[in-house]
Amino acid sequence: MKNPVLYMIIPCYNEQEVLPQTSGMFLNELHDLVAKGKISDDSRVMFVNDGSKDRTWEIITELSRKDPHFIGISQSRNRGHQNAVLAGLMEAKDLCDITISIDCDGQDDIHAMEEMVDAYLDGCEIVYGVRSKRDTDTFFKRFTAEGFYKVLNALGAEVVFNHADYRLMSSRALQEFAKFKEVNLYLRGMVPLVGFKSTCVTYERHERLAGESHYPLKKMLALAFDGITSLSVKPIRMITGAGIFFFILSLLGILWSVITALSGNSVPGWASTACIVFLMGGLQALFMGVIGEYIGKIYLEVKGRPRYIVSERTWEQDK
Ligand code: UDP
Ligand code: MG
């Protein structure tokens, strides 16, 4: 079998401080893997410029002129990390056998790539990079991030604990992933939906080598919100649940006001008014839930996700 062609997909947004340092590290790792006979020399380090406002794109073009192992694409404007990664993956999927997406700031340990490639050579189509510890993150970031993974799992979305976007995907997995047409991207939650044989590789997360984070709290919250709303319709279910609860409560309320009125303990007119208020409140909550259920269905339909993905066929077994 020929050695697989690896494309490292590296999103960059205003990274002129860090790119000159890390680009060399990526290239070294690539050469290292080629020297060990694990990947082909046709492999590439592919930068995705996410509409940077500094010299990032100039640096990328210079690198690609100096060494053919460096290539780059530039997005027409800043679209955010998730879209940048997707752009790189989709551009690469027909050009290579495997992709590894990784941040450009040196935080993710690049030596984990070898283990990822080994797992691929062992037959895995997707390999998730999982942080072994979060020492370098602030307590706040660690607490919110780990809490968030738990909430997502409780809501029924399958996310790999402590996995960000450092992962290997084979071109085969990417061909299937390309069929997920949704525009609200939460890659780490969508990729597990593709299935196939997969595994995790743990690595230590370092400090950023230079420059600063582009994920302030606001963007983190937006990503978290996207994660929940694009992976789960459980919040809508909860409205239905609340609707049924309030409807039952309103029936009890009606019963209570009728009994109170019949026992003569109320002023005239109170019971009828109270009944109407209870009934309207309960019915409205219930109807909203029912409408919500349909909106949830519409939501899933418009995403147009693939309805099945075949992993094996007996007549293709001896490839
Ligand atoms: N990034 C991007 N577009 C953005 C924000 C970030 O492509 O709008 C890239 C950034 O260049 C880096 C990666 O996404 O390679 C992760 O961003 P960052 O290191 O700032 O986030 P953190 O590691 O602090 O969560
Ligand atoms: Mg970072």
Side-chain angles (χ1 to χ4, degrees), residues 11-13 15 50 78 80-81 84 103-105 107 141 205 208 212-215 219:
C12 310
Y13 177 56
E15 300 283 12
D50 187 19
N78 178 253
H81 172 229
D103 289 354
C104 74
D105 55 9
Q107 283 194 282
K141 183 146 185 175
R205 188 150 156 105
R208 204 174 222 286
E212 51 194 57
S213 170
H214 301 106
Y215 261 101
K219 267 200 201 168

Side-chain angles (χ1 to χ4, degrees), residues 13 62-63 102 112 120 124-125 131 137 140 148 217 228 237 254 287 291 319:
Y13 177 56
E62 266 165 44
L63 286 169
I102 182 168
Y120 167 79
C124 289
E125 303 281 345
R131 297 171 199 183
D137 284 341
F140 178 72
F148 178 62
L217 185 62
I228 292 177
R237 277 281 138 74
I254 290 170
F287 291 171
I291 293 171
K319 262 196 304 181

Side-chain angles (χ1 to χ4, degrees), residues 20-50:
Q21 288 183 54
T22 50
S23 53
M25 293 163 50
F26 292 124
L27 188 63
N28 281 346
E29 182 66 21
L30 191 147
H31 285 319
D32 209 35
L33 290 172
V34 173
K36 285 180 176 154
K38 299 199 170 170
I39 59 171
S40 150
D41 192 47
D42 294 331
S43 300
R44 296 284 179 267
V45 176
M46 179 171 175
F47 296 106
V48 182
N49 173 36
D50 187 19

